[in-house]
Amino acid sequence: MNILIINGPNLNLLGKREKTIYGDASFDVYLESLRKRYPDINIVYYQSNIEGELINKIHECGFDYDGIILNAGAYTHTSIAIADAIRAVTTPVIEVHISNVHKREEYRHVSMISAACMGVILGFGTDSYRLAVEAFKK
Ligand code: DQA
């Protein structure tokens, strides 16, 4: 099984960025533990701060992979282009968020991409990614 995790803008700063919201572990450390937990799953990781690069990656992998786990960061709330990319490919996409965006500022309550995704997992810290892996396993 091949799963691609895509992290969008500012998620390269996990562990350094707003630690009270996003925690103090870097994504690399978390990714290592995730890969150990699922040795039979090929978990590929991609991060970019650039909207078009996220779209290119969805196009590149979106016809071959079994699942894409996407945390589009703030583009979640603005990007019709990412929603269109998700709709354009055949690989199912699960939207994830570390924080519970519905407890936060009102502009984070809207997602442009949810309706294009298979499902949404949010508010469980970095464990949101593992829950998405579990969803794909099923
Ligand atoms: C986030 C929530 C977004 O609103 C925010 O812009 C992020 C991270 C999350 O994982 O909680 O960058 O996607």
Side-chain angles (χ1 to χ4, degrees):
M1 191 174 196
N2 294 306
I3 288 180
L4 171 67
I5 296 177
I6 302 180
N7 271 342
N10 301 307
L11 291 162
N12 53 312
L13 294 183
L14 280 180
K16 292 184 186 151
R17 168 194 186 202
E18 297 182 276
K19 292 182 188 181
T20 51
I21 300 174
Y22 300 113
D24 52 17
S26 78
F27 198 77
D28 284 350
V29 169
Y30 176 72
L31 188 61
E32 209 182 299
S33 68
L34 201 61
R35 284 181 174 139
K36 276 197 185 127
R37 191 173 180 137
Y38 298 103
D40 298 338
I41 302 178
N42 179 33
I43 301 175
V44 174
Y45 178 58
Y46 180 76
Q47 191 278 329
S48 174
N49 295 316
I50 299 164
E51 187 176 14
E53 288 186 355
L54 299 173
I55 292 167
N56 284 344
K57 190 48 94 175
I58 292 168
H59 291 179
E60 185 190 317
C61 299
F63 294 91
D64 303 318
Y65 277 64
D66 300 298
I68 296 175
I69 297 169
L70 172 63
N71 185 345
Y75 288 138
T76 303
H77 316 298
T78 60
S79 182
I80 295 165
I82 292 178
D84 282 349
I86 295 167
R87 288 193 178 96
V89 299
T90 51
T91 297
V93 177
I94 296 180
E95 174 186 347
V96 302
H97 299 284
I98 295 164
S99 64
N100 180 347
V101 287
H102 298 289
K103 278 187 181 168
R104 301 180 63 194
E105 301 92 334
E106 214 166 299
Y107 59 82
R108 295 186 204 274
H109 299 180
V110 174
S111 170
M112 291 294 160
I113 66 172
S114 295
C117 290
M118 183 183 149
V120 182
I121 297 170
L122 58 89
F124 296 96
T126 46
D127 209 34
S128 295
Y129 295 87
R130 183 190 62 80
L131 293 168
V133 172
E134 283 295 327
F136 278 130
K137 269 184 77 186
K138 282 186 185 134

